[in-house]
Amino acid sequence: MKKVVLALVFLLMASPIFAQGAFDKFDGQDDVKSVIVNKKMFDMMSKVKVDASDKEMQQYFNLIKKLDNLKVFTTKSARVEAEMKATAERYVKTANLEELMRVNDSGRSIKILVKSGAK
């Protein structure tokens, strides 16, 4: 019995180390379309030459430079949609996210949430 308890404690301690991101399980599924943009791409985008007089565009590129990643997943499967929604709701409750933007379109609500870093 002691070995079982020790094994469970070890597994519970190790699981955060090996855990995937909350949404990684959707990447690569046949009925899910995904767009994933990593830090390297944001770095490349921020190096695009912009007219010095276009302050708004310069602010946009300065913001892009600070992003680490962007993941967008879509599906037409009702089952996967329900799973995505449940995963997102759990993640939002535990990840200390801030609402950046909300769009209501044709009865659908889209929220863009961010997790601010130290920078």
Side-chain angles (χ1 to χ4, degrees):
M1 182 67 176
K2 223 177 192 181
K3 289 181 181 178
V4 172
V5 172
L6 286 174
L8 285 174
V9 169
F10 176 73
L11 286 173
L12 290 174
M13 288 174 50
S15 65
I17 296 169
F18 299 109
Q20 292 182 327
F23 301 97
D24 289 345
K25 63 184 172 184
F26 299 111
D27 188 22
Q29 287 188 12
D30 290 338
D31 46 0
V32 175
K33 292 181 183 177
S34 62
V35 176
I36 299 172
V37 183
N38 294 311
K39 179 111 179 112
K40 181 78 172 173
M41 184 63 170
F42 289 124
D43 288 342
M44 289 171 48
M45 290 170 60
S46 70
K47 292 177 182 169
V48 171
K49 299 223 186 245
V50 181
D51 184 6
S53 65
D54 192 346
K55 298 294 183 194
E56 186 176 327
M57 191 59 78
Q58 191 60 45
Q59 288 176 334
Y60 172 73
F61 282 113
N62 288 338
L63 177 63
I64 285 176
K65 196 182 306 185
K66 296 177 184 179
L67 296 176
D68 288 331
N69 63 61
L70 171 70
K71 296 181 181 184
V72 179
F73 299 97
T74 62
T75 187
K76 291 184 180 182
S77 165
R79 177 191 59 79
V80 176
E81 180 182 359
E83 189 178 346
M84 282 181 180
K85 186 174 183 178
T87 299
E89 288 171 353
R90 279 192 307 272
Y91 186 74
V92 167
K93 286 180 184 177
T94 60
N96 196 23
L97 301 177
E98 301 172 66
E99 185 174 303
L100 183 65
M101 182 176 161
R102 183 183 317 174
V103 177
N104 290 308
D105 183 25
S106 303
R108 309 273 286 171
S109 177
I110 300 167
K111 293 180 184 177
I112 298 177
L113 303 158
V114 296
K115 184 171 188 171
S116 299
K119 301 177 187 175

